[in-house]
Amino acid sequence: MPDNRIILHVDMDYFFAQCEERERTELKGKPVVICVYSGRGGDSGAVSASNYEARKFGIRAGIPISRAKKMNPDAVFLPVNMELYRSISDEMMEILRGFSDMVEQESIDEAFCDITGKAADFDEAKKLAAKVKDAIRQNVGLTCSVGVAPNKLVAKIASDFQKPDGLTVVKPKEVRQFLEPLKVTDLIGVGKKTGERLNELGINTIGDMSKLSIEELIHEFGHAKGVWLKQASKGIDDSPVQEREGTEQIGRITTLKEDTKDLKVILDTINRLSGEVFRKLEERKLSFKSVTFISISTEFKTHTKSRTLGAPAKDASTIRRVANELAKDFLAEHPAPLRRVGVRVANFSGEKSQMTLGEF
Ligand code: TTP
Ligand code: MG
């Protein structure tokens, strides 16, 4: 692995809550809390995301909904709408792919890009990162925070360094200094247990840990982990940015001009979206094996209907035909006006996966 890489890590700001703000402008400026209800009734369940206004009241991911309601009864509490977040995530990932061929989606709102070939040095990389942020803001309508560093380990910490809407560049020479004062648990891979054990040994910061000898670390944590901790404490990480196969999907969602259950309007919209999805597939020379129709009702309820094809397809007419059939079936079952509709394809195969097979 070359040691002169330039890696970018993008992490969307308060993602689920920001997606809701984009869809419902009336939420802007209010505390917004996204909840996963357990299904046991009432407020049983946990907070999944909160915007920065809600965080001022101490409301964060993971706390019980009932506690969040006590912290601020006037906040807006919304149930998770994964389809919406997934489709916005697709939009964001596609923007990133426009900047780099090497994109590794890490979670619904995070990705690494290897931009080594796109920027001659870290000053150019900073300009490119600013362009990425602008493109996401303009095309997706959301803010994100970006870290630029010589590897994934440091880029990920950097993206979290100045949230929200941040851009942090850590040049190779600055890595040690950047990491030194940070907590050991800021290193992705140092979990709570390891962090507690290190704290017991009097090691709190990454700088403290870098002073331990590799023998001490191996003695305490075993060989593999000890070696890794030593490397990580010095900001060394050789792991490559790799596209994760099988997790991808390409989708498009749009808001209808007005709420409607008019089949013709809905099918016309689906045909337009199918065309957009097809163009993305064609650019990347991918075949798909599943098609999904997505609908969001006037009450913001999301429904999806999917079909898996007998064999992979790569043509626009298959997307259109299957999406149309799914939409017709859906409207026959749920004859109520829709606010938004979408089309998604997934289960890809293509040149990339064939090449991977050929290598073995
Ligand atoms: P994060 O990126 O960890 O958080 P965030 O985007 O809400 O806020 P930040 O500005 O600090 O990046 O997670 C991304 C999404 O994943 C988040 O919006 C909701 C979801 N999530 C959960 O459902 N449960 C959790 O415990 C966490 C941490 C996140
Ligand atoms: Mg985030």
Side-chain angles (χ1 to χ4, degrees), residues 282-350:
E282 203 181 27
E283 269 170 32
R284 298 181 50 208
K285 299 194 171 39
L286 293 170
S287 303
F288 56 93
K289 240 188 125 178
S290 79
V291 180
T292 301
F293 165 70
I294 305 158
S295 71
I296 299 175
S297 74
T298 49
E299 285 89 44
F300 294 96
K301 284 236 157 43
T302 303
H303 288 277
T304 58
K305 259 183 129 38
S306 299
R307 184 177 305 159
T308 304
L309 310 174
K314 55 180 177 185
D315 57 306
S317 61
T318 302
I319 309 177
R320 260 200 305 273
R321 177 176 55 75
V322 177
N324 272 258
E325 286 168 12
L326 293 169
K328 281 183 201 157
D329 288 353
F330 176 79
L331 283 156
E333 291 160 19
H334 303 85
L338 297 179
R339 178 180 154 86
R340 290 165 66 74
V341 292
V343 176
R344 187 172 74 213
V345 296
N347 290 357
F348 296 138
S349 49

Side-chain angles (χ1 to χ4, degrees), residues 129-327:
K131 273 194 198 156
V132 168
K133 279 166 62 77
D134 276 351
I136 292 179
R137 191 197 311 269
Q138 277 172 20
N139 297 290
V140 187
L142 261 54
T143 66
C144 61
S145 296
V146 176
V148 183
N151 58 51
K152 287 164 72 176
L153 182 82
V154 182
K156 171 132 179 157
I157 300 176
S159 72
D160 199 41
F161 199 63
Q162 301 184 64
K163 260 186 170 294
D165 205 11
L167 170 51
T168 304
V169 179
V170 184
K171 295 182 184 175
K173 269 194 247 149
E174 302 162 348
V175 166
R176 294 289 291 267
Q177 202 186 351
F178 174 71
L179 293 179
E180 246 168 34
L182 303 179
K183 297 195 297 291
V184 281
T185 44
D186 286 338
L187 288 170
I188 310 310
V190 177
K192 208 169 152 224
K193 237 173 96 187
T194 308
E196 278 167 6
R197 182 65 196 131
L198 284 163
N199 293 161
E200 280 166 20
L201 297 168
I203 307 299
N204 297 305
T205 65
I206 300 175
D208 294 340
M209 186 161 76
S210 71
K211 290 186 198 112
L212 286 184
S213 71
I214 191 155
E215 289 77 18
E216 283 171 289
L217 284 164
I218 290 174
H219 173 74
E220 203 55 53
F221 299 101
H223 191 268
K225 182 126 193 193
V227 172
W228 182 83
L229 286 170
K230 183 70 192 170
Q231 300 276 76
S233 73
K234 294 195 280 183
I236 298 170
D237 167 35
D238 289 338
S239 59
V241 174
Q242 286 174 314
E243 179 95 49
R244 294 189 192 179
E245 303 245 348
T247 54
E248 266 187 275
Q249 43 190 24
I250 293 178
R252 279 282 177 277
I253 279 194
T254 193
T255 304
L256 296 160
K257 281 205 187 75
E258 51 193 39
D259 298 344
T260 184
K261 56 179 175 178
D262 182 330
L263 189 61
K264 181 168 181 326
V265 174
I266 291 170
L267 295 186
D268 281 351
T269 310
I270 284 175
N271 290 342
R272 179 169 60 78
L273 296 175
S274 300
E276 289 178 23
V277 167
F278 171 69
R279 277 189 289 281
K280 283 285 154 197
L281 279 172
E282 203 181 27
E283 269 170 32
R284 298 181 50 208
K285 299 194 171 39
L286 293 170
S287 303
F288 56 93
K289 240 188 125 178
S290 79
V291 180
T292 301
F293 165 70
I294 305 158
S295 71
I296 299 175
S297 74
T298 49
E299 285 89 44
F300 294 96
K301 284 236 157 43
T302 303
H303 288 277
T304 58
K305 259 183 129 38
S306 299
R307 184 177 305 159
T308 304
L309 310 174
K314 55 180 177 185
D315 57 306
S317 61
T318 302
I319 309 177
R320 260 200 305 273
R321 177 176 55 75
V322 177
N324 272 258
E325 286 168 12
L326 293 169

Side-chain angles (χ1 to χ4, degrees), residues 11-18 34 36 47-50 52 55 61-62 80 82 107-110 145 160 163-164:
D11 185 333
M12 303 304 290
D13 300 323
Y14 62 101
F15 185 54
F16 291 4
Q18 205 186 169
I34 312 300
V36 180
V47 169
S48 150
S50 55
Y52 284 76
R55 289 182 198 185
V80 278
M82 283 311 288
S107 74
I108 191 163
D109 83 328
E110 280 171 83
S145 296
D160 199 41
K163 260 186 170 294

Side-chain angles (χ1 to χ4, degrees), residues 93-101 103 118 280:
M93 297 298 165
E94 277 171 40
I95 303 271
L96 294 183
R97 287 200 182 89
F99 281 92
S100 164
D101 307 330
V103 177
K118 311 273 170 188
K280 283 285 154 197

